[in-house]
Amino acid sequence: MESSLIDLVFRSDKRKNLLILLDSGSKSIDEIRDELDVTATSILPQIKKLIDSDLIVQEDRMYKLTVLGEFIIKKVKPLICALEVVEKNNCYWTGHDLNSIPRHLLERIAELGDCTLIEPDLNHIYEPSQKIIDSMVNAKVASTFASYFNPAYLPLYVELGRKDAELSLNFTQSVWDHLSNEHSNMIKELMGMDNVSIYISREVKISEVTVTDEIMLLGLFDKNGKFDQQFVLSFEPGARKWGQELFDYLKRLSKQVK
């Protein structure tokens, strides 16, 4: 029975997607057809299988989860969503070091949702992705942890600070030393702003975490400890919440610069 239910849920995308859809409430056949982009002819046999297994029920021309169906989907939905996050950018997740991400956040990786992989432009290898800059330039709130130095970011932070954005910046000691020595004027301006907080962190194998009111950006070192300028970017609210929790975790390992 247990094996049969696993097959029923996972061996058909139509059945899996239908169960996830019904988790949000009862649906008519027309709503199912439109939201899953399927024909009635193709989905009705899958509906019958789920009805026969007591996972969904039809009432007044509406389909909804049974109590058993609700229990099953509550258990498997996080796994399905986590697999979708990893599979979409499988090479990134399998090729980078995840050890510095706290286990409780790794277990909630499904919250990242629909992520875009940002890769370096070989014609502008030392410049940040324009997509990242564009997504940050109008931020009202921004939290950034960085364990590598990119000179293009510092003027952006200064610009955001001048616009009264609430900034929380956390750098590793090596990055902070470089900023203090080579870009002291901009650092002094940032430190003079009441809306900017700056922290120094111990070395962590995370290249960057940036969270704004629009995006969550995550960069990890590869499994050889090298920085490859690859990032995952998400605009979803759940990803921003996840990223803010990761930033706050790193901030607790840091000390504030006065």
Side-chain angles (χ1 to χ4, degrees):
M1 179 64 176
E2 189 175 13
S3 176
S4 177
L5 281 178
I6 290 174
D7 289 344
L8 188 73
V9 174
F10 285 99
R11 294 194 67 176
S12 166
D13 285 341
K14 288 187 177 69
R15 293 194 295 268
K16 177 188 69 177
N17 293 336
L18 176 57
L19 290 170
I20 292 174
L21 176 63
L22 294 181
D23 187 44
S24 64
S26 301
K27 304 291 181 184
S28 68
I29 187 63
D30 290 336
E31 290 173 318
I32 292 171
R33 183 191 62 206
D34 293 342
E35 295 195 41
L36 297 184
D37 193 22
V38 295
T39 63
T41 304
S42 67
I43 197 64
L44 283 172
Q46 310 309 326
I47 290 176
K48 184 179 185 304
K49 290 181 180 180
L50 293 171
I51 290 175
D52 291 344
S53 297
D54 194 35
L55 295 185
I56 68 174
V57 65
Q58 183 182 8
E59 293 180 356
D60 299 327
R61 297 187 178 183
M62 301 291 286
Y63 295 94
K64 68 177 186 177
L65 296 174
T66 63
V67 173
L68 177 61
E70 290 179 358
F71 171 77
I72 294 294
I73 200 61
K74 287 290 189 296
K75 294 296 183 181
V76 304
K77 187 177 178 180
L79 173 60
I80 292 171
C81 294
L83 290 173
E84 289 175 349
V85 168
V86 173
E87 287 176 354
K88 182 177 180 182
N89 298 298
N90 185 61
C91 290
Y92 183 83
W93 297 111
T94 58
H96 289 78
D97 189 347
L98 306 179
N99 289 312
S100 291
I101 299 177
R103 183 55 58 93
H104 72 279
L105 288 177
L106 273 179
E107 291 174 353
R108 290 165 44 205
I109 198 170
E111 295 175 19
L112 298 187
D114 185 19
C115 293
T116 300
L117 180 62
I118 305 295
E119 299 188 87
D121 181 350
L122 297 180
N123 295 319
H124 304 87
I125 194 68
Y126 296 110
E127 298 176 15
S129 165
Q130 191 59 45
K131 189 170 186 178
I132 296 175
I133 295 296
D134 292 343
S135 64
M136 292 177 62
V137 71
N138 294 315
K140 301 293 189 296
V141 179
S143 302
T144 290
F145 168 86
S147 60
Y148 77 102
F149 172 71
N150 192 314
Y153 279 134
L154 200 54
L156 176 60
Y157 295 141
V158 172
E159 180 183 350
L160 289 174
R162 290 171 179 170
K163 294 178 180 178
D164 293 325
E166 292 293 327
L167 300 183
S168 186
L169 308 176
N170 192 351
F171 305 110
T172 56
Q173 185 69 57
S174 57
V175 173
W176 173 252
D177 290 343
H178 180 85
L179 294 174
S180 301
N181 293 327
E182 302 298 329
H183 304 274
S184 58
N185 289 337
M186 283 188 281
I187 288 297
K188 287 178 181 177
E189 183 174 356
L190 284 169
M191 292 183 66
M193 297 177 181
D194 293 336
N195 53 310
V196 178
S197 300
I198 300 178
Y199 302 86
I200 300 177
S201 169
R202 64 179 177 82
E203 299 294 329
V204 178
K205 291 184 178 179
I206 294 175
S207 59
E208 181 176 348
V209 181
T210 289
V211 185
T212 74
D213 38 353
E214 295 290 335
I215 68 160
M216 190 287 301
L217 182 75
L218 175 66
L220 301 169
F221 292 103
D222 68 19
K223 290 189 173 180
N224 295 317
K226 295 182 179 179
F227 174 57
D228 58 10
Q229 298 195 60
Q230 288 188 326
F231 303 89
V232 286
L233 173 70
S234 178
F235 292 86
E236 297 197 10
R240 298 199 299 271
K241 180 178 182 294
W242 187 96
Q244 188 63 50
E245 288 187 39
L246 178 56
F247 176 84
D248 291 341
Y249 165 80
L250 295 170
K251 190 171 76 171
R252 289 193 293 271
L253 304 177
S254 310
K255 60 181 180 179
Q256 187 169 5
V257 178
K258 300 293 186 182

